[in-house]
């Protein structure tokens, strides 16, 4: 359990990554108590303060919970959904990476894949193939959300245009970054593609390697944004604080998790192959 001396990341991040991997691969199952801080410090050859920093990262990710006078435990799934980021990073450690995303602007997806892509560039991760598909709402046509609020409610091309720019920035960045991995020969097959449809963005879904599903609803809020240097009230699906519910496929095809995964994949493919149109930059 010693750390890699050639790893440029600080020890607390290395310890956090090792513990995260142990949790995600169920070496520590939900509800299990982790070794004490002293035991972890000895096992990894680091100071207790380093272990405390590592545990803080995992606690912020929702993977563990501290219980007064008892210790640190792997969080039960029913207590709180586990964070998206560690599962996406874990997926890039597999030979084949497949992520299907449906949502608003792909901003969160763009953020969570940055670290694994950086690790591929420096040779720390070596997947053989990457395939990312993004289903987005078409902001070039009238749509229910986002829309103008206030005294002139309804569809507004300027409101849609504002969100279209945000979506384009993130979508194109993902497509270009993954294409670059193939161009540089770092990944044998690497492609990201996007399609759009006319439905309003009401939920987000991440299907990861056909095994994990994260799903959450966008609450619609009214707030004011600046468009053409003027304040404009809008109705906006807000995804930043969306609670993502986590479902996992297991060996039982009739289990709730397996059925969620199968039906989400079926829904995604059906939209992708029928009403969705190629994304145009």
């Amino acid at each position: 359990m010693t750390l890699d001396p050639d790893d440029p990341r600080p020890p607390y991040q290395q310890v956090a990554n090792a513990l995260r991997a142990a949790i995600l691969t169920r070496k520590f199952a939900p509800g299990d108590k982790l070794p004490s801080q002293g035991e972890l410090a000895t096992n990894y050859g680091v100071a207790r303060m380093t272990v405390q920093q590592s545990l803080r990262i995992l606690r912020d990710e929702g993977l563990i919970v501290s219980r007064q006078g008892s210790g640190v435990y792997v969080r039960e799934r029913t207590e709180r959904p586990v964070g998206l980021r560690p599962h996406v990073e874990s997926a890039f450690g597999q030979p084949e990476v497949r992520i299907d995303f449906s949502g608003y602007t792909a901003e969160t997806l763009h953020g969570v894949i940055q670290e694994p892509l950086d690790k591929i560039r420096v040779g720390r991760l070596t997947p053989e193939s990457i395939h990312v598909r993004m289903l987005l709402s078409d902001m070039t046509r009238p749509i229910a959300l986002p829309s103008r609020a206030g005294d002139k409610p309804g569809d507004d091309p300027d409101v849609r245009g504002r969100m279209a720019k945000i979506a384009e920035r993130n979508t194109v960045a993902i497509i270009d970054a993954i294409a670059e991995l193939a161009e540089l020969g770092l990944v044998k097959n690497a492609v990201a593609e996007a399609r759009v449809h006319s439905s309003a963005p009401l939920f987000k879904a991440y299907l990861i390697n056909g095994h994990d599903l994260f799903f959450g609803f966008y609450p619609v809020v009214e707030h004011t944004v600046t468009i053409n240097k003027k304040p404009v009230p809008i109705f906006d699906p807000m995804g930043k604080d969306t609670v993502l519910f986590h479902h996992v496929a297991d060996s039982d095809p009739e289990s709730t998790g397996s059925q969620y995964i199968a039906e989400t994949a079926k829904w995604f493919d059906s939209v992708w192959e029928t009403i969705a149109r190629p994304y145009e930059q």
Side-chain angles (χ1 to χ4, degrees), residues 48-125:
R48 285 174 63 98
M49 183 172 294
T50 299
V51 171
Q52 291 172 5
Q53 290 178 287
S54 304
L55 295 178
R56 188 176 301 116
I57 292 174
L58 301 182
R59 190 178 298 111
D60 290 343
E61 292 176 356
L63 289 172
I64 61 173
V65 59
S66 298
R67 295 176 182 166
Q68 188 80 24
S70 179
V72 178
Y73 293 80
V74 178
R75 188 183 291 274
E76 296 281 1
R77 294 192 188 280
T78 55
E79 290 185 87
R80 179 181 172 185
V82 178
L84 171 69
R85 184 181 297 273
H87 287 81
V88 170
E89 293 179 356
S90 177
F92 277 86
Q94 304 300 315
E96 296 184 0
V97 183
R98 185 177 181 90
I99 298 176
D100 288 339
F101 166 76
S102 177
Y104 196 5
T105 63
E107 186 172 11
T108 300
L109 177 63
H110 184 208
V112 298
I113 67 172
Q114 291 308 302
E115 185 170 348
L117 295 186
D118 285 342
K119 290 180 181 178
I120 292 172
R121 293 186 185 100
V122 299
R124 301 198 65 82
L125 291 176

Side-chain angles (χ1 to χ4, degrees), residues 90-281:
S90 177
F92 277 86
Q94 304 300 315
E96 296 184 0
V97 183
R98 185 177 181 90
I99 298 176
D100 288 339
F101 166 76
S102 177
Y104 196 5
T105 63
E107 186 172 11
T108 300
L109 177 63
H110 184 208
V112 298
I113 67 172
Q114 291 308 302
E115 185 170 348
L117 295 186
D118 285 342
K119 290 180 181 178
I120 292 172
R121 293 186 185 100
V122 299
R124 301 198 65 82
L125 291 176
T126 55
E128 296 176 4
S129 69
I130 300 173
H131 191 188
V132 175
R133 297 190 297 176
M134 294 171 280
L135 268 177
L136 307 170
S137 295
D138 187 357
M139 296 295 160
T140 67
R141 305 182 181 188
I143 198 169
L145 290 168
S147 61
R148 193 180 184 104
D151 58 353
K152 297 180 180 180
D155 179 68
D156 187 320
D158 289 337
V159 173
R160 285 188 280 109
R162 171 181 175 272
M163 296 314 301
K165 290 179 181 178
I166 297 174
E168 180 179 27
R169 181 168 63 245
N170 292 288
T171 303
V172 172
I174 292 171
I175 292 173
D176 289 348
I178 291 179
E180 182 186 45
L181 298 178
E183 293 167 0
L184 295 175
L186 298 175
V187 181
K188 186 181 300 183
N189 298 300
V191 62
E193 51 186 334
R195 294 186 181 182
V196 296
H197 56 84
S198 298
S199 299
L202 299 177
F203 65 87
K204 62 167 64 177
Y206 302 83
L207 187 57
I208 305 170
N209 278 1
H211 182 267
D212 291 273
L213 168 66
F214 287 84
F215 180 94
F217 293 100
Y218 288 123
V220 178
V221 301
E222 180 178 352
H223 65 123
T224 300
V225 298
T226 300
I227 300 178
N228 297 327
K229 299 182 180 180
K230 296 180 179 180
V232 177
I234 68 170
F235 292 121
D236 195 12
M238 295 295 285
K240 181 179 179 182
D241 297 320
T242 297
V243 174
L244 293 175
F245 296 95
H246 183 206
H247 303 282
V248 181
D250 56 30
S251 58
D252 179 7
E254 300 302 319
S255 70
T256 300
S258 294
Q259 291 187 65
Y260 263 110
I261 302 295
E263 291 303 312
T264 301
K266 184 189 299 184
W267 172 84
F268 191 100
D269 288 339
S270 70
V271 176
W272 186 268
E273 298 295 341
T274 58
I275 63 173
R277 303 175 296 277
Y279 177 81
E280 297 180 358
Q281 299 181 26

